[in-house]
Amino acid sequence: MKGWAELVFETPHPREIYHALAPELEDEAHRSQVELIEGPGFVRLKISGEDVVSLRAALNTWIRLVKIAIEMVSL
């Protein structure tokens, strides 16, 4: 079963967060696909997984990465 999730993070620093996370998009060793989109006042994260387990793992990883990026930009 395939699954997907789309998360939108509102932030006053979308460009900085996008550039902080962009290198992580190059990692192709996982069973999920990730798309990161920068917009005016937000960063959108689209994750699709081959199965529920890979989707959950990708969500955990990317939510943590976004949280850290937001914290670092806010310092």
Side-chain angles (χ1 to χ4, degrees), residues 2-64:
K2 287 192 174 192
W4 63 273
E6 183 175 348
L7 306 168
V8 178
F9 300 91
E10 294 182 5
T11 175
H13 309 286
R15 178 161 301 196
E16 291 86 351
I17 293 170
Y18 176 84
H19 288 294
L21 298 174
E24 298 297 328
L25 295 171
E26 298 172 12
D27 186 8
E28 297 179 7
H30 302 288
R31 296 181 301 170
S32 58
Q33 294 78 40
V34 179
E35 182 180 357
L36 189 64
I37 301 165
E38 172 196 349
F42 70 88
V43 175
R44 178 177 292 134
L45 183 63
K46 293 182 181 181
I47 301 174
S48 58
E50 298 286 325
D51 50 50
V52 176
V53 174
S54 64
L55 177 60
R56 181 191 54 79
L59 281 167
N60 286 338
T61 298
W62 279 91
I63 290 171
R64 187 175 300 117

